[in-house]
Amino acid sequence: MPVLAYANPERFARLARSLTPWLLGSAVGLLLAGLFLGLFLAPPDYQQGDAARIMYVHVPAAWMAMFVYGCMALASAVAFIWKHPLADVAAKASAPIGCIFTALALITGMLWGKPMWGAWWVWDARLTSVLILFFMYLGYIVLWNAIEDPARAVRAARILALVGAINIPIIKFSVDWWNTLHQGASVFRADGPSITGSMLIPLLVMAVAYNVLYAALLLIRMRAEIAERRLRSIRLGLEFEPK
Amino acid sequence: MTDWSTFFAMGGYAAYVWPAYAISVVSLLALAIASWTWMTRAERLASSSKSAEETAPETKP
């Protein structure tokens, strides 16, 4: 079946219904494996000791914060260009998930910063740009709820998502462009990961777990959104029926 | 077998490591439960009003 057939929200909802349990199950399994690897099997860092274990919840959350925003911006672009009926639904459904991942990146980062840097927070370029990302997510969510007219809300949301995407490369390269207290990249480097395998594997398992969890939550929230839109149009249809 | 008290002490960083893990698990779990509840409720409402519409007499022009 061609991919475009899933542009039909009802057909998409059916596919999502069959995929949801598998994705949720895999996410839980991978999360348990990742937590076990990170807490039990990974060695303590030679400098940071066991505090380095915060990495296994901090780094994947930060990656997801950026990845989910990227997906949101991409979906908004698709919605703009091809008027794909599901693209706006995908973007709207992603926002709260990305917002939670960003909050987790910030909070676990503070919990890591305090023992390592001696400060919960510093206004360096990495931390500040991620804080801006968090407010972009919040603004996007508020915007959807603030504008009554759905056609105007959808337009404003697309524009906000696209404009905010400028922040993503700024976050990624902030550690190279500015002199940050936050360390530089140690996995996605031009010369390969500089982190040892026994720490890299738990990190990657957690990253895959977070990605699968995002996929599962995205489908669940898209199904909810589609059902709500259907409900709205049924109610509108009933209201306009001649009595 | 791990010595559990050593494990929970996290080399002196227990006050930072455990809250980081706890808040990650709790907030993702809460998001999953909230999303699931919203989805089941919305789908139930949509399907029930859809069937109500279908059983209603044809009034559309």
Side-chain angles (χ1 to χ4, degrees):
Chain A
M1 190 175 283
V3 177
L4 265 182
Y6 294 105
N8 177 320
E10 296 303 318
R11 195 169 289 160
F12 170 83
R14 271 201 300 279
L15 174 76
R17 234 186 322 275
S18 55
L19 282 178
T20 311
W22 295 102
L23 285 172
L24 263 185
S26 331
V28 171
L30 283 161
L31 267 177
L32 290 176
L35 291 174
F36 178 79
L37 288 171
L39 287 171
F40 290 92
L41 291 193
D45 185 68
Y46 80 104
Q47 280 181 325
Q48 302 199 358
D50 286 310
R53 293 186 200 282
I54 295 175
M55 172 174 73
Y56 307 118
V57 285
H58 172 73
V59 174
W63 283 341
M64 293 312 291
M66 292 192 283
F67 178 69
V68 174
Y69 199 94
C71 292
M72 227 171 80
L74 188 71
S76 302
V78 168
F80 247 133
I81 300 164
W82 289 291
K83 311 277 180 259
H84 193 298
L86 284 173
D88 290 311
V89 174
K92 190 183 177 188
S94 291
I97 310 171
C99 191
I100 294 278
F101 277 128
T102 313
L104 283 179
L106 288 169
I107 296 168
T108 56
M110 287 174 164
L111 287 163
W112 200 1
K114 184 63 184 168
M116 290 303 126
W117 301 340
W120 297 104
W121 185 265
V122 288
W123 291 99
D124 85 350
R126 173 56 70 81
L127 278 69
T128 308
S129 54
V130 174
L131 185 66
I132 291 170
L133 179 69
F134 178 67
F135 286 122
M136 295 298 308
Y137 276 120
L138 281 187
Y140 182 89
I141 295 166
V142 168
L143 192 66
W144 266 109
N145 296 312
I147 303 178
E148 282 282 316
D149 175 19
R152 279 185 57 225
V154 89
R155 241 187 112 72
R158 285 174 190 166
I159 293 170
L160 181 65
L162 285 171
V163 170
I166 299 166
N167 194 23
I168 300 299
I170 294 179
I171 295 174
K172 167 68 185 150
F173 297 110
S174 57
V175 287
D176 306 321
W177 293 343
W178 290 283
N179 192 3
T180 53
L181 186 54
H182 194 285
Q183 66 179 78
S186 48
V187 177
F188 294 115
R189 294 162 58 94
D191 54 354
S194 61
I195 173 175
T196 181
S198 56
M199 291 178 159
L200 183 61
I201 289 165
L203 183 60
L204 292 182
V205 172
M206 282 301 286
V208 173
Y210 274 18
N211 270 291
V212 177
L213 182 67
Y214 168 50
L217 293 178
L218 178 64
L219 287 188
I220 291 171
R221 300 189 70 88
M222 284 179 76
R223 281 171 61 184
E225 187 66 32
I226 290 167
E228 262 192 1
R229 285 178 183 207
R230 201 168 63 209
L231 192 63
R232 254 198 314 271
S233 65
I234 291 169
R235 280 179 180 160
L236 272 176
L238 287 177
E239 265 173 42
F240 289 122
E241 268 173 21
K243 292 268 153 42
Chain B
M1 187 66 193
T2 328
D3 177 356
W4 288 104
S5 59
T6 320
F7 173 69
F8 284 116
M10 276 289 150
Y13 294 114
Y16 304 103
V17 175
W18 293 117
Y21 276 78
I23 196 159
S24 301
V25 171
V26 168
S27 48
L28 290 175
L29 196 66
L31 177 67
I33 292 170
S35 303
W36 185 267
T37 317
W38 177 38
M39 182 266 291
T40 46
R41 192 173 161 274
E43 286 193 341
R44 196 184 59 237
L45 279 174
S47 65
S48 67
S49 52
K50 194 181 175 189
S51 55
E53 189 199 36
E54 276 163 2
T55 52
E58 188 59 59
T59 46
K60 284 216 178 90

